Amino acid sequence: MVLLYEFWRDDIPTEVVRELLEELGIPYKERVVKKRRKSLYGQPYDEWSKIYVEKSDLIEWLKNEIERRINSYG
């Protein structure tokens, strides 16, 4: 597995990444850890998300997408 993206778990950019991978049908795994952050709510720690994908899943998705686009011309 390779690290594709990492950011604060409950922030919008992380949600965008999750939604895109789900929309594209690319499986991913998410690992969450606590990380120090100055929070507006006075909490010293927040959850940090690391999103991983398998290289083979990305390659398979790309092959399928290329095939789909080629076939759409015929």
Side-chain angles (χ1 to χ4, degrees), residues 18-62:
R18 281 189 211 109
E19 288 176 3
L20 178 60
L21 290 170
E22 289 170 8
E23 179 184 318
L24 296 175
I26 299 172
Y28 67 92
K29 294 198 189 235
E30 187 170 4
R31 181 173 164 243
V32 178
V33 296
K34 294 280 187 186
K35 196 169 184 179
R36 185 172 286 286
R37 180 182 194 185
K38 289 185 180 180
S39 172
L40 296 174
Y41 308 107
Q43 297 172 322
Y45 294 95
D46 202 352
E47 292 182 326
W48 184 258
S49 178
K50 293 183 176 189
I51 296 176
Y52 296 88
V53 295
E54 290 284 353
K55 286 182 185 181
S56 60
D57 291 334
L58 290 176
I59 292 168
E60 186 64 29
W61 178 85
L62 185 56

Side-chain angles (χ1 to χ4, degrees), residues 9-22:
R9 181 175 187 218
D10 296 320
D11 282 3
I12 292 173
T14 304
E15 186 62 32
V16 168
V17 171
R18 281 189 211 109
E19 288 176 3
L20 178 60
L21 290 170
E22 289 170 8

Side-chain angles (χ1 to χ4, degrees), residues 58-69:
L58 290 176
I59 292 168
E60 186 64 29
W61 178 85
L62 185 56
K63 284 180 179 179
N64 291 338
E65 184 63 16
I66 290 169
E67 190 69 26
R68 186 189 69 76
R69 289 188 184 205

